[in-house]
Amino acid sequence: MNMEEHVWGKYEQYIALHTAQPANTRRHYVQALASARALILNPSTSDHTISCILETLVRSLQYEPDPLLLHHVLKLLSDIALHHRHLSFSIFNTIRAHEAGHKDSNGLAVEVLSVLFTIAEHDHSLATAMYDLDENFVLSLFLSPVTTRRSWLLTNISRFHIKQSFLITLFLAFMKDPYPFVRSSALVGLLGLSKSVDGKEYAVVKECYGCAMELLHDIDERVRSAAVRVISDWGQVLVAPNDEANKRDWYDVIFVQLCSMVRDMSVEVRIEAFVALGKLELVSEELLLQSLSKKTLAVIKEKKIFFQCHEKELELSKSSAAGAFVHGLEDEFYEVRRSACNSLGMLSIFSLQFASDALDLLVDLLNDDSTVVRLQALETMYHMAKCGCLRVQETHMHMLLGTLVDTSSLIRSAARKIFRIMKLSVRAMFASIISGLLSNLRTYPQDEADIFPLLFDIGRNHGNFVVSFIKEVIQEMEPSCEGELRFDSANVAALLVLAISVPLSHEHSACNIPLRIFSYGLPFLGRISRSLSDSTNRDAILAYLFHCSGSILPLVTELNFRGNELVLPVAEGGGPSHSDHEGANPLEVFLQQISNCGTARKSWLQLPLIHLDLLMFWPLHPNIFK
């Protein structure tokens, strides 16, 4: 006996037990249905067996009085239709006939509809069969006293082919439903229509916004949370048709209303309120500044906002925004603090003063117990830096530099992203950042691959600062009294990366780096080239170091090995002429010379038995290649 026959035998056995004693054998019937589902889902089951199961299920659909068992029967009929597509048409018609004949006598109208929609969505030839479920049918469900049926209708309303105007009317009516779940479902349904509503229907938009505004103070937190989202999305639709002056007034209304929700008792509501605040496209500076201070500002005191909604003149006090973000950043739940932090960054583009004051709060978050919050604070600062509104002061540096030795690699990486795009105007801040990166390297050597490229970029952007910094630390880079470089020192390698970046800056003092510093970089060639592999390659760095060190060695444009010999191509005509490219970027000159050498006639200089390792002695014996 094969497996299919065995399972089918079990199915028939349980069906027989249930038929003999239907009142006491619900368990047997459920076991029979479980066996049937195993056969339905098995692609190897024969068509004959599937047809027998279908016949039994159709008979159960017609005569089984137990709603719980009918629920399982409908599910199996749906499974057959989805996995055996040739039977979907007959199953659809059978269920549709059952639904028409029983008129919900067993309370399964919603489940029957759900199965019919599922089958029709997988068999497009049946899609038109659902078009007759029009507004009248939906109204019959809407008037049902069964709460779960109204909730299902709201969740699945998009499956019905009805007009958008009817949908909006339906959702507005459901917002007054006595059951919280129905009200929240109506609000969620309204959210889906905000992108497609016609801007000409301004009265309808105002009506939707007004109803959501009333539900901001609902007793159920799910309703309040959904109302905040509707205020945010439909508020954007409400603002769009207005001129600039009225837009600002409406955005201020939305801002104050959302600020009033950041102290809600529900964590979910507070999170949604801050998410919504971050989506606003325009806010008055005075309101933004007020949201950073718990004390009412002088410019805000006694000021009110007047607006019309539901044909009523309403007013809001601007002081309602007082300390909104302070409350958010001090919230006991890290999810709220993270959401508030993100919104601060989104709003910082509207006011440099707001961005400056917000930075003071963000810096304090770098001490937060939650890694998620600390990371979000850094990401927010990075966003502000990209938008040109990050104004870091010396008072902020201690906290920022502390993140470079954070135990989390994500935090350290996020901090370095900020330093990469900062343009520094104070030498002391530059020096503290370099010292912080060197401390990062000593504490976490595994970060070297990220730190070296960062030092290179900082050096190119701040050439004058690098020159003075290198002069202060040059003793750390010099060979010892025995004439040996500290090849194992990550600190020396990092300083060399910083130093060799200076000629690539376009600042006048770039030439003040001692030439011998570039020759010190040769022993670290492999280490440096690996870290800068995204920008250039090992051969280019080698030639660049020779070029910047003022060596008389001809410009190296290609390295090749033949056995134990190092082969260096030399462009005919000797070394490069500095006078031809006076004032040009050295790396650009170098790349141009490489290009020229590619077409020039080459002669080859072979140095027998010289390995690349010999380049390590270049700083100590510069005449070795003469």
Side-chain angles (χ1 to χ4, degrees), residues 39-40 103 120 143-144 220 230 335 403 447 511 528 560 610:
L39 292 169
I40 292 168
K103 296 296 182 183
L143 297 173
S144 170
D220 189 87
V230 172
E335 297 93 342
T403 60
D447 292 350
C511 58
I528 294 173
N560 191 19
I610 294 180

Side-chain angles (χ1 to χ4, degrees), residues 81-295:
L82 298 183
H83 290 84
H84 303 273
R85 300 288 291 274
H86 62 285
L87 298 173
S88 62
F89 186 79
S90 62
I91 293 173
F92 180 89
N93 288 330
T94 299
I95 297 175
R96 190 69 189 271
H98 170 80
E99 184 266 338
H102 288 75
K103 296 296 182 183
D104 196 29
S105 60
N106 48 25
L108 289 175
V110 164
E111 293 193 46
V112 169
L113 282 174
S114 183
V115 170
L116 289 173
F117 275 119
T118 300
I119 295 173
E121 287 162 1
H122 284 78
D123 187 343
H124 298 302
S125 64
L126 297 172
T128 55
M130 303 298 291
Y131 286 176
D132 59 339
L133 301 180
D134 55 9
E135 285 93 343
N136 292 329
F137 182 84
V138 170
L139 278 175
S140 67
L141 290 178
F142 168 63
L143 297 173
S144 170
V146 182
T147 305
T148 54
R149 190 173 302 172
R150 300 199 302 277
S151 299
W152 180 90
L153 173 62
L154 288 170
T155 306
N156 294 272
I157 195 67
S158 60
R159 290 172 146 182
F160 293 88
H161 294 270
I162 52 182
K163 296 177 182 177
Q164 181 172 277
S165 57
F166 178 82
L167 281 178
I168 292 176
T169 304
L170 193 66
F171 288 140
L172 291 173
F174 271 127
M175 285 183 191
K176 297 176 174 59
D177 196 276
Y179 289 90
F181 183 75
V182 176
R183 296 197 299 275
S184 63
S185 296
L187 286 164
V188 172
L190 200 60
L191 277 172
L193 299 179
S194 63
K195 303 299 181 185
S196 57
V197 70
D198 189 348
K200 296 178 182 178
E201 301 177 273
Y202 196 69
V204 175
V205 175
K206 260 192 171 183
E207 179 75 10
C208 294
Y209 184 88
C211 288
M213 190 175 66
E214 291 176 356
L215 293 178
L216 285 175
H217 305 290
D218 194 273
I219 59 172
D220 189 87
E221 66 179 65
R222 290 171 301 179
V223 177
R224 297 197 302 274
S225 177
V228 167
R229 283 181 283 159
V230 172
I231 288 291
S232 174
D233 287 10
W234 280 81
Q236 303 282 357
V237 181
L238 183 64
V239 169
N242 289 276
D243 56 33
E244 287 303 314
N246 285 330
K247 274 186 179 180
R248 182 179 293 276
D249 291 342
W250 268 112
Y251 273 124
D252 286 350
V253 168
I254 298 170
F255 183 83
V256 172
Q257 287 179 329
L258 293 175
C259 283
S260 69
M261 302 304 295
V262 301
R263 290 180 284 272
D264 193 273
M265 293 296 293
S266 166
V267 176
E268 181 185 350
V269 173
R270 298 200 296 274
I271 292 173
E272 289 293 346
F274 281 115
V275 169
L277 283 169
K279 294 179 180 179
L280 296 180
E281 298 178 1
L282 185 68
V283 184
S284 298
E285 184 178 57
E286 60 182 22
L287 281 175
L288 288 172
L289 296 176
Q290 180 63 80
S291 68
L292 297 179
S293 173
K294 291 182 179 179
K295 183 180 178 181

Side-chain angles (χ1 to χ4, degrees), residues 262-409:
V262 301
R263 290 180 284 272
D264 193 273
M265 293 296 293
S266 166
V267 176
E268 181 185 350
V269 173
R270 298 200 296 274
I271 292 173
E272 289 293 346
F274 281 115
V275 169
L277 283 169
K279 294 179 180 179
L280 296 180
E281 298 178 1
L282 185 68
V283 184
S284 298
E285 184 178 57
E286 60 182 22
L287 281 175
L288 288 172
L289 296 176
Q290 180 63 80
S291 68
L292 297 179
S293 173
K294 291 182 179 179
K295 183 180 178 181
T296 303
L297 303 179
V299 295
I300 290 291
K301 209 168 188 179
E302 306 299 331
K303 280 191 176 182
K304 297 189 182 296
I305 306 173
F306 297 94
F307 66 103
Q308 194 172 35
C309 202
H310 277 328
E311 299 182 354
K312 296 179 182 177
E313 190 75 21
L314 303 175
E315 66 176 47
L316 290 172
S317 173
K318 288 190 174 184
S319 61
S320 299
F325 279 105
V326 179
H327 285 289
L329 298 178
E330 293 176 350
D331 199 279
E332 62 179 309
F333 292 92
Y334 80 88
E335 297 93 342
V336 179
R337 300 197 298 275
R338 178 189 182 187
S339 181
C341 182
N342 182 63
S343 294
L344 264 182
M346 297 296 104
L347 296 174
S348 62
I349 62 173
F350 300 136
S351 164
L352 285 177
Q353 182 60 52
F354 175 77
S356 177
D357 293 352
L359 182 59
D360 295 333
L361 299 177
L362 290 173
V363 167
D364 290 338
L365 284 185
L366 298 179
N367 268 338
D368 199 277
D369 293 335
S370 169
T371 300
V372 172
V373 175
R374 297 200 305 277
L375 185 60
Q376 182 60 63
L378 290 169
E379 291 291 345
T380 298
M381 291 183 201
Y382 179 69
H383 171 76
M384 292 168 67
K386 286 198 302 180
C387 295
C389 54
L390 183 70
R391 300 290 185 266
V392 177
Q393 305 298 322
E394 290 189 58
T395 53
H396 302 137
M397 290 306 297
H398 175 71
M399 296 294 293
L400 268 174
L401 294 174
T403 60
L404 290 174
V405 289
D406 195 279
T407 55
S408 168
S409 61

